[in-house]
Structures are given as structure tokens and as C-alpha cells.
Amino acid sequence: MSRVTITGLNKHFDGKPPSVAVANLHLDIEEGEFVALLGPSGCGKTTTLRCVAGLERPGEGKISIGNTTVFDSAARVNVPPDKRRIGMVFQSYALWPHMTVKKNIAYPLKVRGMKSALKDGWVEQTARMVECDTLLSRYPMQLSGGQQQRVALARALVARPEVILFDEPLSNLDARLRDQMRTEIHELHQQTPFTAIFVTHDQTEALALGQRIAIMRAGAIEQLDTPEQVYEHPATEYVAAFIGLSNRLVCDLADGVWSVGEDRLSGAPLDPGWRGRAVVRFGPDHARLVRSTTELTPGETSVPARTADVEFAGTHMNVTLQVGDTRARARMLCGGQDAWTRHLAPGDAVHLAFHPAQAAMYKASTQTESGALDPVLPEVAGV
């Protein structure tokens, strides 16, 4: 395993008009570190990955894997993909349909001329590591999606590459298999550390797998930090929206009173040192419904709302609310059969409560008020 260093990476695609896929990107990944690139479609995360792999040629910049420079626009260095000592796991699995599982896993060893590794049982060892050793004689068409992804992971690991690149590898799996494979990849990295770059649009995957997360926007990194820091201290409203703080209230402070449109906030005030209009972000899991402000707990703030939709989700209730001209969501435990929240109906008057300490506040601007910076992918991301 090796360190990965990306310096001043730029990638444009020709067209009418031309598009900027990656814009002056800098990223250092430590040896054995698992970094997730998170962002919506078109943010540049997959293009960055493909540049590291050698599948795309950047316009400018430098990429090093370990002590080897694999791309340098100034020095005119561009090492071919098969010489970069990387493993790659694709979204589509990309298994050879005419080869058995054993031959698929062995393929990187054969093309690299690693005959001793074949004799020493690297294929079987790697297959056991990802729990597909009982499938070696089968063909890809005889496997489930989860089994195919295990084989693809084994193929990426077998040659013991310096870096493993994951291009949204779990997006084609159903929810149960996606959770299972995510856990298995995490456990595998804990047991056998390897340097990894993991591309995803799913914030749940990024938070669970990444030792650091790079939130990308318009070809650049908006925030790079640990999952805890990104989730608890999102640097921008764009980051807050993407990591699941999907509830967005535009709040005004006048004469010491906070309000959302015509509705006053009750309970604990927002940041007392704030000046002017603020955008407040918090997640559905940090929201609570109360029937009146007398039910607020110490430190809670609330705003009047009306229910727009109520969904039963097993242990939880998912409630969509109308707060002035804004939609918000609350995800709460169901409670017992006699809990009042179980009997909510569209149009019911309630109060949406949250703790300001669990919310993120940002200076409102014309752009943010219009939602132009908001990727709005919380439901895709599993929030």
C-alpha cells in the first residue's frame, strides 16, 4: 500500500460549451487510509478517480502513487493504467462472463506475469478473505449481485496493489446487500489495511467507510475532514445539505425575536450573537413534534407547522411538515399503540422542535435562499 498525492489536477471536457470536471484539485491520502469522495452526479468525483487510475488523461497537474509519479503534465509523464499498481472495483462488476470465478480473480496476476503468486495460492487466499472461495468453479451468470461484487473485490485485491479504487461499487445492490457489503468492506479494511479511494453519492456509505470524507462540488473539494467533523461541523450549507441536514429554515431576528416568515420561534433562542437573516439546517433525526410549546424540553426551539404526510416505517414515523412555505421532515420513534404521533393526519397543527446546538447556521444570501447551492439528495442518501 502507498500514499497517493494529487496536486493541481485539472480536467476539462470539450463540448458546446466546454465543461470543467476537475478544477485545481489537491488531495493527499496517507498510506493505508480509506478516503471517500462524496458528491452528486457531475461534481467530478468519478473523473478524479479515473484520472488516478489512468483511464482519463488530465489537462494539468501531478499524481503520485508512493514514490512513483504516474502523471505529470509538466514533465509529460503518463504511466499506463496497467503499470500503476492499482486495483479497481467498478459499479457494474465488470467480470469476464466466459471465465470462472477463479479465472476472473486470477486475471490481474496473469496479465502482470506474477506466476509465483499463482503457484503460491494467492487466488484462493484472497477468495477466502472476501468469502467467495466456495464459488471458484462457477461463472458470473450463476452468481447473485452480492456474490459478483465479492468476486470483483477479490480481483481488485489479489495482486496486492498499492491502491484500490472503488467506483460506486454498491449502488447496484439492493438495500440489504448494500448494508452487508458495506460492513464487509469496512471489516476487511480494519483487518487488512489498504489505501483506498471510494467514490459514492450516498452519505451513509461515506460516513461508515471513510476515515476522511472529501465533499466535492463543481470539480473541487468543499470540505475534507473526518466523518465526525463533516457531520457535526459542516463547513458550508452545501455540505450540510449533502450529509443529511435536509431541513432548511430561513430565520430572521428582529427586536430579539426569531421568526420563520410570519411564525415566531418559541423556546430557546438561536445563536444570540447572530446578526441578520440566517439559514438553519438540521436533520430529520434531530427533529421532534410536540402538540404545544409547553412540551418543549430545556434547550429546545420550536416553530408552528402542519403535517403534510405521515408514513409508518416500522420502528419510526416519517412525518413531512409544512412550515410556512417550506417543507421539513421529522423521523421519530413510533412509541406505543396509544402514542399521539401514531394518529397524526395531514393538516394537523403541531410544533416542529429541534435543539439549536444540533443545528448548523449559515449566513443567508441570494444564492442560498434560492436553494442554488443545495444538492438536495437526502432521500437518495438514505436519510
Side-chain angles (χ1 to χ4, degrees):
M1 57 184 176
S2 294
R3 179 188 180 115
V4 177
T5 304
I6 303 172
T7 307
L9 192 69
N10 286 282
K11 174 64 180 176
H12 296 195
F13 288 107
D14 294 332
K16 296 182 178 179
S19 61
V20 177
V22 183
N24 195 31
L25 187 140
H26 298 262
L27 178 62
D28 288 325
I29 300 172
E30 298 297 330
E31 184 176 318
E33 186 179 24
F34 201 116
V35 170
L37 304 185
L38 175 65
S41 298
C43 73
K45 58 188 187 296
T46 295
T47 302
T48 300
L49 192 81
R50 289 174 63 84
C51 288
V52 174
L55 302 176
E56 294 284 355
R57 185 187 179 99
E60 296 175 297
K62 182 178 179 179
I63 302 171
S64 298
I65 298 176
N67 295 322
T68 303
T69 297
V70 296
F71 179 81
D72 188 338
S73 57
R76 298 186 179 181
V77 172
N78 188 26
V79 175
D82 60 325
K83 305 295 184 183
R84 294 196 179 194
R85 292 286 298 159
I86 60 168
M88 192 155 184
V89 184
F90 296 92
Q91 179 180 352
S92 60
Y93 318 135
L95 302 178
W96 297 104
H98 63 289
M99 292 183 181
T100 63
V101 166
K102 184 174 182 177
K103 289 182 177 179
N104 264 287
I105 297 174
Y107 186 77
L109 300 178
K110 289 185 176 181
V111 298
R112 295 175 186 178
M114 300 173 69
K115 294 181 181 179
S116 60
L118 287 166
K119 291 180 181 178
D120 292 344
W122 283 21
V123 171
E124 291 78 10
Q125 292 171 22
T126 309
R128 282 195 296 273
M129 189 187 303
V130 299
E131 298 182 1
C132 66
D133 51 307
T134 61
L135 309 173
L136 293 176
S137 62
R138 296 190 193 179
Y139 288 87
M141 68 181 68
Q142 297 173 310
L143 306 178
S144 68
Q147 290 171 330
Q148 289 186 59
Q149 197 56 285
R150 281 195 180 88
V151 175
L153 181 57
R155 183 182 59 188
L157 290 165
V158 70
R160 301 179 184 177
E162 296 185 28
V163 181
I164 299 180
L165 308 177
F166 296 86
D167 186 12
E168 303 206 42
L170 309 183
S171 60
N172 284 342
L173 302 178
D174 63 43
R176 182 183 62 82
L177 278 175
R178 190 162 58 245
D179 290 347
Q180 181 181 340
M181 283 300 300
R182 184 181 69 222
T183 299
E184 290 179 3
I185 291 172
H186 186 267
E187 288 180 354
L188 180 62
H189 187 261
Q190 294 291 320
Q191 296 164 5
T192 311
F194 50 85
T195 307
I197 304 176
F198 189 98
V199 164
T200 181
H201 65 266
D202 187 324
Q203 57 101 348
T204 302
E205 288 179 11
L207 291 170
L209 291 170
Q211 292 172 306
R212 285 191 299 161
I213 301 175
I215 309 286
M216 293 191 65
R217 173 183 169 216
I221 294 175
E222 189 93 350
Q223 184 173 358
L224 173 64
D225 215 322
T226 64
E228 292 83 0
Q229 281 295 112
V230 170
Y231 188 79
E232 294 171 1
H233 304 286
T236 66
E237 192 187 346
Y238 176 90
V239 174
F242 207 90
I243 53 89
L245 306 188
S246 55
N247 290 330
R248 182 180 191 273
L249 302 180
V250 179
C251 302
D252 291 291
L253 178 62
D255 298 326
V257 176
W258 285 97
S259 62
V260 177
E262 300 296 322
D263 297 314
R264 288 189 172 192
L265 271 64
S266 301
L270 302 181
D271 185 347
W274 196 272
R275 295 292 182 270
R277 175 167 288 188
V279 172
V280 179
R281 287 272 190 179
F282 57 97
D285 287 326
H286 293 153
R288 193 170 76 94
L289 301 186
V290 295
R291 286 168 288 190
S292 72
T293 57
T294 59
E295 298 177 4
L296 293 176
T297 60
E300 269 191 322
T301 298
S302 76
V303 62
R306 287 193 177 274
T307 56
D309 188 48
V310 182
E311 301 171 348
F312 175 73
T315 59
H316 291 78
M317 301 290 290
N318 294 324
V319 184
T320 302
L321 303 140
Q322 191 72 35
V323 183
D325 58 359
T326 301
R327 285 290 177 110
R329 295 181 66 204
R331 185 172 184 264
M332 307 180 305
L333 289 171
C334 284
Q337 291 289 338
D338 57 346
W340 71 274
T341 50
R342 281 181 175 255
H343 306 287
L344 283 171
D348 285 350
V350 293
H351 288 261
L352 173 63
F354 63 94
H355 279 270
Q358 295 176 328
M361 290 181 65
Y362 303 94
K363 185 72 175 177
S365 68
T366 302
Q367 274 188 306
T368 57
E369 286 177 39
S370 68
L373 300 183
D374 192 344
V376 190
L377 288 178
E379 298 198 359
V380 174
V383 174

